Amino acid sequence: MRSTFGGIEISKRALFTQQEALNTTGHNVANANTRGYTRQVVNMVAAKPMEAIGLQRSTVPGQMGQGVEFSSITRIREKHLDSQFYNENKSSGEWTVRQDTLDKIQGIINEPSDTGVRQVIQNFWNAWQELSKAPDNLTGRAVVKESALAMADAFNFASKQLSNLSQDLTDNINVKTTYINSTTDQIAKLNNEIYRIEGLGNNANDLRDQRDVLLDDLSKTINITVKEDDSGYTVSMGAQVLVDGFNVASTVTAGSLQGSYGGDLSSGEVYGMIQSRDVLVTSYQNEIDTMVKTMVEGDVTVTLPAGSVVPEGTVVGTKTYSGSVADRTLKESDNRNITVKGFNGLHKLGYVLNNGTFATGEDFFKSSDGGAITAANIIVNPTIEHNVSNIAAALRTYVDPVDNVEKVVRGNNDMSLLIAGLRQQSFNFDPTGTGTVVLKDGTLDEFFRAVVGQLGVQGQEADRQAANQKVLVEQVDARRQSVSGVSMDEEMANMIKFQHAYNAAARAMTVYDEALDKVINSMGVVGR
């Protein structure tokens, strides 16, 4: 026999179900702007009918429906879109870091501009050109000294800035290492919590959203793959498992990430940081060091003018010059081509302005720490910095008939002209044949322009790649939002739909209540 109160029970189930649907709709609306939130829906099913098929079934025809129930509240999410997002996000992270690094290097080099390194170098050569007009003028020598100091400071500063950038990248790698370990620990804990909740038959939707947000962020830092099993997510970086269910399978260190570079670590922000530090910054540091070392000490062939008096023991071509001034004087018919060790080697062939007394030049540039000359340690020789008379600008001497002493021709400008002409001389920037420099043979200006050109091309490529990856990430995320995001129009429509259903169920319960009231209070009163 059918229950007298069956209709009220059906209405009650409808009220509870539609109320839960309204609550879930309100939850969606409340989290419309929550990052990583996934739209939730109430899955409604018809309640189990009263009369089930069986041997002891009632003879009442048909089955008595028992209204509606909800079987679960689930997220609307497509996992393959998450995988696509991780793949695009890791490349976006890598190129964003490289773009940022190259932008900073461009700021350090600061070319083309009127205040960059190239302009300082040009000022140095121009100062020598001006000195050739009055080689015995102390003001001109002071300008040469100051321009040399400015050039050395520019190289020092650029090298220091590149070193600081390299250190900043190292510090960022350490910060990201801590972040990775913290994130994997949170994911493992969420795996455990989700497992316990869902083991009771519920869906831990909001906790799953929290876990997916952590994975979204982690996918930008390192390349990850995610697999799901009964114990939750297994998160891997290449072949290295980071999270295995409830446990953190392995922690990372700055050293382990460095060791994984190019292997398990193949993309992401950390990959971009290591590549920026060890490839980009290091290469431009080497390029500037190469330029400085080549200018100061690199082999360069110059032609000495006829009439030049070379220092004792100088080898020009295959001939060694020694003895008196006449014996050391180059003739027009002599082989006057000589290979010297860069700027310093040429400067030491000249003679200083020392009250006319005969004295050869010293190394114009030195290293501040006594080691090999680099952009970081190049300085002007202190003896020149403190006394500009020690700048060698002449290439001729004579024997004073009064005291029979060899003296320097004060007005001779041969050396200053030769030094000023170094800007047009070709140097070998790759004497060992390593092939790692941007330009093997050329002038100093051509080499520096090649460095700037390479930096510009790399920066442009990084900008393009970063912009492309940003578009791809946004496209995939837009597709995810079209599936999982909260649409206010849709939620408002659902709210009205569930409200009407709730009101109808309430009205049905009122009807059943009035009918039962008639049965209980108005029937069977005869004979009372």
Side-chain angles (χ1 to χ4, degrees), residues 26-44:
H27 185 53
N28 288 339
V29 171
N31 287 279
N33 297 316
T34 301
R35 178 172 176 259
Y37 179 78
T38 303
R39 179 168 59 95
Q40 299 177 16
V41 296
V42 174
N43 297 313
M44 301 181 188

Side-chain angles (χ1 to χ4, degrees), residues 384-411:
I384 294 175
E385 182 180 356
H386 299 147
N387 185 1
V388 294
S389 295
N390 290 322
I391 296 175
L395 254 179
R396 300 197 184 196
T397 63
Y398 69 100
V399 177
D400 191 335
V402 176
D403 52 15
N404 200 33
V405 174
E406 185 175 355
K407 296 182 180 181
V408 178
V409 176
R410 291 180 59 89

Side-chain angles (χ1 to χ4, degrees), residues 41-58:
V41 296
V42 174
N43 297 313
M44 301 181 188
V45 294
K48 187 175 181 179
M50 190 75 172
E51 296 290 339
I53 298 176
L55 294 176
Q56 304 299 323
R57 69 182 295 273
S58 169

Side-chain angles (χ1 to χ4, degrees), residues 263-377:
D264 290 335
L265 179 62
S266 59
S267 192
E269 290 178 328
V270 175
Y271 179 90
M273 290 174 186
I274 295 175
Q275 185 180 53
S276 295
R277 182 192 64 187
D278 295 350
V279 178
L280 296 177
V281 177
T282 299
S283 87
Y284 284 104
Q285 183 79 72
N286 290 339
E287 298 284 12
I288 295 178
D289 286 343
T290 297
M291 180 179 176
V292 170
K293 186 174 179 60
T294 302
M295 181 184 71
V296 176
E297 300 177 341
D299 289 345
V300 60
T301 301
V302 297
T303 302
L304 301 177
S308 299
V309 180
V310 296
E312 179 71 24
T314 301
V315 179
V316 182
T318 58
K319 183 179 178 180
T320 301
Y321 289 82
S322 61
S324 65
V325 172
D327 293 334
R328 302 193 333 266
T329 301
L330 299 180
K331 301 178 178 59
E332 189 73 37
S333 59
D334 288 340
N335 180 1
R336 292 178 281 112
N337 293 329
I338 183 172
T339 300
V340 295
K341 293 293 183 181
F343 190 98
N344 280 351
L346 184 58
H347 186 261
K348 287 193 290 187
L349 288 179
Y351 303 102
V352 303
L353 182 65
N354 190 10
N355 296 322
T357 303
F358 167 77
T360 56
E362 302 179 56
D363 285 335
F364 196 95
F365 294 104
K366 288 191 172 184
S367 65
S368 58
D369 55 12
I373 291 179
T374 64
N377 63 21

Side-chain angles (χ1 to χ4, degrees), residues 208-282:
R208 282 179 171 270
D209 286 344
Q210 293 179 28
R211 185 175 61 180
D212 287 336
V213 168
L214 291 174
L215 288 169
D216 284 352
D217 293 340
L218 186 61
S219 69
K220 189 172 185 177
T221 306
I222 55 175
N223 52 289
I224 60 171
T225 54
V226 181
K227 295 181 181 179
E228 186 173 9
D229 54 27
D230 293 339
S231 59
Y233 284 165
T234 298
V235 183
S236 303
M237 180 183 71
Q240 181 181 357
V241 179
L242 302 177
V243 179
D244 186 10
F246 311 151
N247 303 310
V248 175
S250 61
T251 58
V252 299
T253 64
S256 68
L257 290 173
Q258 180 72 50
S260 300
Y261 172 73
D264 290 335
L265 179 62
S266 59
S267 192
E269 290 178 328
V270 175
Y271 179 90
M273 290 174 186
I274 295 175
Q275 185 180 53
S276 295
R277 182 192 64 187
D278 295 350
V279 178
L280 296 177
V281 177
T282 299

